[in-house]
Amino acid sequence: MFTLLLTKLMKKLTICWTLLTIYGCTQPALNSSSAGCLDKPPVSLAQEDVEEIKLNDKKLTTSGQVSSTKSMGYKFDANSGQKLSYATNADICLWVYTPDNQIIKTTELPKNGKYIIQVSAPQGLRTFDLEMTLSSVEVSSTPAPVTSPSNEISANTFSPQPAVATTTDTSNVTPTGSSIPKPRRTPSYTPSPSLPVSPAEPVHDISQKQALEIVQNWYAAKPQIFGPPYDTSLVEELTTGKLYSFTTKPNGPVAWLENNNAYYTYEKSEITKIIDFSNSGKRPYMKVKIFEELYLHGKNGIDKKNSGPYRGEFIYTFEKENGIWKIYDYKKVS
């Protein structure tokens, strides 16, 4: 009777020790957590079975169910030098892929980019809990050495030599105790072909504030330009190019108003919003939203069709003339 009880007890202890050995493991290294796992996964990881996670130094716990024919994956961003750690109490297999699809078995991650953890089972069906952490990159407290300007080598001073095998003439050399240097082969260097480089767009010395002031001055001068005294000297002062030519030409708006005894009055003119500004490219420009209340006066009084409040968006382009920025042209965009 005693022998039978002892035999049963020994069987239970054996089962408990086996379960503890298999299921009580924690793996800090990046390899499979079961002795039955292969170096490479036997099955491919389907894209729809990959979950994107965010790892840091705080513990992240995830759960799932895998088999020998069905894997799960976790994708995360990491930097070179960070360390990945995980812990599980399940009999599972685990592989870690680098951004260039290489399996690694070290805790320290070698590259920047997206990593993928593939989880599978050596056999049967397994339900698992997986704890993961990702350490921060360690930053050295020792400052990097500073290279003095005298030690810097300009890329322009490097001239690749042709790949020619050199020989050493030893016929007139008297042997001494020192060894004769072995001939060296000059390494071949083939410069990579130059890629076409687009010329950089010029950046002009006009600020947004300057551009805004020029446009504001234009609106402030319009009552004197498009009404008595029809002062075209203000047009010359503020504009150039297309706008100047259009405004002052013989059949232009100023000439038409003066010849027809017509003129504009402006109750209000203001820039309500700067939408965009650029001082690069062929010409700098500013896109603005404006509000005007103007009235066209003629022989028969106010032309109601061309009078009243008005809102619109305009793009003004600028050009420098004799060192002074002026309005080159404008167009209505809405």
Side-chain angles (χ1 to χ4, degrees):
M1 182 69 177
F2 177 79
T3 302
L4 181 61
L5 289 174
L6 182 61
T7 301
K8 289 182 178 180
L9 180 60
M10 289 299 293
K11 286 182 178 179
K12 287 183 179 180
L13 288 174
T14 301
I15 293 171
C16 289
W17 174 256
T18 302
L19 291 173
L20 179 63
T21 302
I22 295 175
Y23 296 105
C25 60
T26 299
Q27 295 288 338
L30 299 184
N31 51 24
S32 55
S33 61
S34 171
C37 297
L38 303 174
D39 290 338
K40 295 183 179 180
V43 294
S44 299
L45 181 62
Q47 187 173 356
E48 59 267 21
D49 294 324
V50 178
E51 176 186 351
E52 188 141 4
I53 59 174
K54 186 174 182 180
L55 287 182
N56 49 39
D57 53 3
K58 295 181 180 179
K59 188 183 297 182
L60 175 69
T61 302
T62 184
S63 303
Q65 192 175 73
V66 293
S67 69
S68 56
T69 58
K70 180 72 172 178
S71 297
M72 288 186 64
Y74 301 98
K75 182 189 293 186
F76 62 95
D77 287 303
N79 295 321
S80 174
Q82 289 188 287
K83 292 184 179 180
L84 174 67
S85 301
Y86 76 91
T88 180
N89 62 349
D91 182 21
I92 56 175
C93 301
L94 186 146
W95 300 270
V96 176
Y97 289 88
T98 62
D100 56 355
N101 207 33
Q102 301 296 317
I103 296 176
I104 58 172
K105 296 184 178 181
T106 58
T107 59
E108 188 170 319
L109 306 184
K111 297 183 177 183
N112 297 346
K114 288 190 178 291
Y115 287 77
I116 293 179
I117 300 174
Q118 181 173 347
V119 182
S120 185
Q123 59 182 2
L125 189 67
R126 297 286 187 271
T127 300
F128 67 90
D129 292 322
L130 183 62
E131 295 178 353
M132 295 171 283
T133 57
L134 186 65
S135 69
S136 302
V137 177
E138 295 183 2
V139 180
S140 174
S141 58
T142 305
V146 178
T147 305
S148 63
S150 60
N151 294 331
E152 293 180 357
I153 300 176
S154 170
N156 296 328
T157 64
F158 176 71
S159 299
Q161 299 295 323
V164 177
T166 61
T167 58
T168 303
D169 183 3
T170 59
S171 58
N172 296 322
V173 178
T174 302
T176 62
S178 61
S179 59
I180 299 173
K182 295 181 180 180
R184 296 182 179 180
R185 182 179 295 274
T186 304
S188 61
Y189 175 81
T190 305
S192 57
S194 298
L195 297 176
V197 178
S198 300
E201 289 188 341
V203 178
H204 304 283
D205 61 342
I206 181 173
S207 66
Q208 178 175 299
K209 182 180 179 181
Q210 286 176 293
L212 178 60
E213 287 178 355
I214 294 170
V215 178
Q216 286 176 330
N217 290 339
W218 168 252
Y219 278 93
K222 285 174 72 175
Q224 286 76 44
I225 296 171
F226 301 108
Y230 306 102
D231 192 351
T232 55
S233 65
L234 292 174
V235 183
E236 185 177 0
E237 181 183 332
L238 297 169
T239 72
T240 186
K242 289 184 177 181
L243 183 55
Y244 175 79
S245 299
F246 171 76
T247 308
T248 60
K249 64 183 180 179
N251 59 343
V254 174
W256 184 92
L257 288 168
E258 192 170 7
N259 293 335
N260 287 274
N261 295 320
Y263 61 95
Y264 277 96
T265 57
Y266 298 82
E267 295 295 325
K268 193 170 188 180
S269 295
E270 63 178 352
I271 297 169
T272 59
K273 184 178 182 181
I274 298 173
I275 301 172
D276 193 16
F277 170 74
S278 173
N279 63 353
S280 62
K282 185 178 180 180
R283 291 187 182 91
Y285 71 88
M286 172 176 278
K287 184 179 180 181
V288 295
K289 184 177 289 187
I290 65 100
F291 171 78
E292 278 190 307
E293 185 179 350
L294 68 165
Y295 297 91
L296 175 58
H297 303 261
K299 295 177 181 179
N300 300 318
I302 294 176
D303 182 351
K304 294 182 179 180
K305 185 178 179 181
N306 294 295
S307 301
Y310 173 80
R311 299 178 189 273
E313 292 180 9
F314 292 83
I315 293 178
Y316 285 85
T317 54
F318 304 92
E319 187 174 272
K320 186 177 280 189
E321 182 182 74
N322 298 325
I324 300 173
W325 284 105
K326 299 181 179 182
I327 300 173
Y328 174 81
D329 196 13
Y330 76 92
K331 64 178 179 178
K332 183 176 180 294
V333 292
S334 69

